[in-house]
Amino acid sequence: MDRLPKPTPASPGNEPRALVRAAPGRLVRRLAKVIGVTIVLGYLTICLAMFSLQARLIYFPDRDYWTTPKEAGLAFDDLTLKTADGLSIAAWYVPHAAAKGTVLFCHGNAGNIADRLESLKSFHYLGYNVLIFDYRGYGRSEGKPSEPGLYRDAEAAWRYVVETRATRPESVVLFGESLGGAVAIDLAARHTPGALVVQSTFTSLVDIGQRQYPFLPIGLLCTQRYASIDKVPSITCPKLFIHGTQDELVPLANGRRLFDAAAEPKDFLQTPGGHNDGGFEHNMECIRRLGDWLNRLQLGKN
């Protein structure tokens, strides 16, 4: 009987070809798995950071006042207002000797009231008293900014104008720029002012955040929503929406969506410029057109 040859032990470099081909395949799969897990963990980390730090991405307060209305030749009262939750917030009241009404000014998300001197001068030029206040955490105001907190600050400013100054609500113009427009809209939805004017204001912060970070689920992460588009339909007073044609932060189309959602009576004023230089106060023709619009309302005389 013929003997079968004894199997030769496999030696390095003499493995079966199938095993040699399988090893790189397993390596690729393991590498793909590691890369996939790393991407998912990185994405979740970004989402967590966005959720935790969103206030730092929304609010940019400045504590220092580099000027006052006095520097522009305007008399003013330096005020401290109390909010419903017990905080002190700073405010300036700039009176006009022959006032047609009072503008309650809600500024944007950066700086403080000292950065709005040109706007104060413009409203004074048009013949209005102005109350401008700093949100909590801005200027000399106590606390830290938040959406509910800013609404409380605006409420304190409203109470000062209507109760302390005994101003008739129908003589009050609520004015808000950018984020302040969302604050003014919330205030107008809870009271009945003579008019509402918003400038460079968005439909909701979620819409703007989704545009800035299209790869993130902003709708799930954003707790500071400022959903003006849900509130503006209920506001019955005359409304003016001002927006720069080159606004790079809040596109003109977004401002138009907010306008379209509002109930009559309403008007839209397009201005030249972008988000920070497209306001009515940067253009004498736009100042005049705003003044004409307000004059037609005859605030407090109806």
Side-chain angles (χ1 to χ4, degrees):
M1 180 182 285
D2 295 334
R3 293 183 178 179
L4 296 174
K6 293 181 179 179
T8 304
S11 58
N14 196 33
E15 294 89 346
R17 289 185 179 179
L19 294 178
V20 173
R21 289 195 299 269
R26 285 199 300 269
L27 181 61
V28 169
R29 287 194 295 273
R30 287 177 182 173
L31 184 59
K33 188 178 295 184
V34 169
I35 293 174
V37 170
T38 302
I39 291 174
V40 170
L41 289 177
Y43 183 78
L44 292 176
T45 300
I46 293 173
C47 289
L48 180 61
M50 179 67 71
F51 178 80
S52 303
L53 302 176
Q54 61 186 276
R56 297 186 184 182
L57 299 174
I58 298 171
Y59 308 108
F60 299 93
D62 188 346
R63 285 293 192 179
D64 298 323
Y65 292 157
W66 59 275
T67 189
T68 71
K70 183 179 179 180
E71 304 302 317
L74 300 176
F76 76 105
D77 296 333
D78 196 354
L79 307 171
T80 299
L81 310 180
K82 280 291 184 182
T83 66
D85 53 346
L87 294 182
S88 295
I89 61 170
W92 292 338
Y93 183 79
V94 181
H96 192 285
K100 303 173 184 177
T102 297
V103 173
L104 196 165
F105 194 119
C106 304
H107 67 68
N109 70 322
N112 58 46
I113 55 179
D115 299 307
R116 277 72 191 185
L117 196 57
E118 287 302 314
S119 298
L120 297 182
K121 289 165 58 178
S122 297
F123 278 120
H124 191 269
Y125 169 79
L126 291 175
Y128 293 85
N129 306 317
V130 183
L131 176 72
I132 186 170
F133 64 99
D134 260 330
Y135 308 123
R136 55 191 63 202
Y138 287 72
R140 294 197 302 271
S141 296
E142 298 176 341
K144 294 182 179 180
S146 67
E147 182 178 3
L150 266 60
Y151 295 156
R152 293 190 187 102
D153 301 339
E155 184 67 29
W158 173 269
R159 289 201 315 271
Y160 176 81
V161 169
V162 173
E163 297 175 9
T164 305
R165 289 280 174 177
T167 305
R168 296 169 62 191
E170 56 268 32
S171 297
V172 178
V173 178
L174 298 183
F175 175 84
E177 58 175 21
S178 191
L179 183 74
V183 176
I185 286 172
D186 180 82
L187 193 59
R190 292 184 285 109
H191 297 285
T192 308
L196 169 69
V197 180
V198 295
Q199 178 167 281
S200 307
T201 297
F202 45 80
T203 52
S204 75
L205 206 54
V206 172
D207 289 343
I208 299 305
Q210 198 66 69
R211 180 175 180 271
Q212 296 291 319
Y213 307 98
F215 55 91
L216 294 176
I218 296 298
L220 298 176
L221 300 175
C222 190
T223 60
Q224 318 258 328
R225 306 182 77 85
Y226 293 99
S228 296
I229 197 166
D230 295 336
K231 303 172 185 177
V232 75
S234 67
I235 299 173
T236 58
C237 69
K239 295 163 287 293
L240 178 63
F241 297 78
I242 304 174
H243 217 100
T245 55
Q246 303 301 316
D247 195 321
E248 68 288 353
L249 182 61
V250 182
L252 180 63
N254 187 274
R256 279 282 184 184
R257 277 185 59 208
L258 183 62
F259 170 77
D260 290 341
E264 295 286 355
K266 61 182 179 180
D267 291 283
F268 198 93
L269 172 60
Q270 286 188 190
T271 67
H275 191 72
N276 293 318
D277 62 356
F280 78 94
E281 67 273 27
H282 298 290
N283 184 296
M284 196 61 206
E285 173 62 17
C286 293
I287 292 175
R288 184 191 64 76
R289 291 177 66 183
L290 172 59
D292 290 345
W293 186 84
L294 290 171
N295 288 339
R296 288 196 298 271
L297 301 181
Q298 296 188 323
L299 295 174
K301 297 180 180 180
N302 297 326

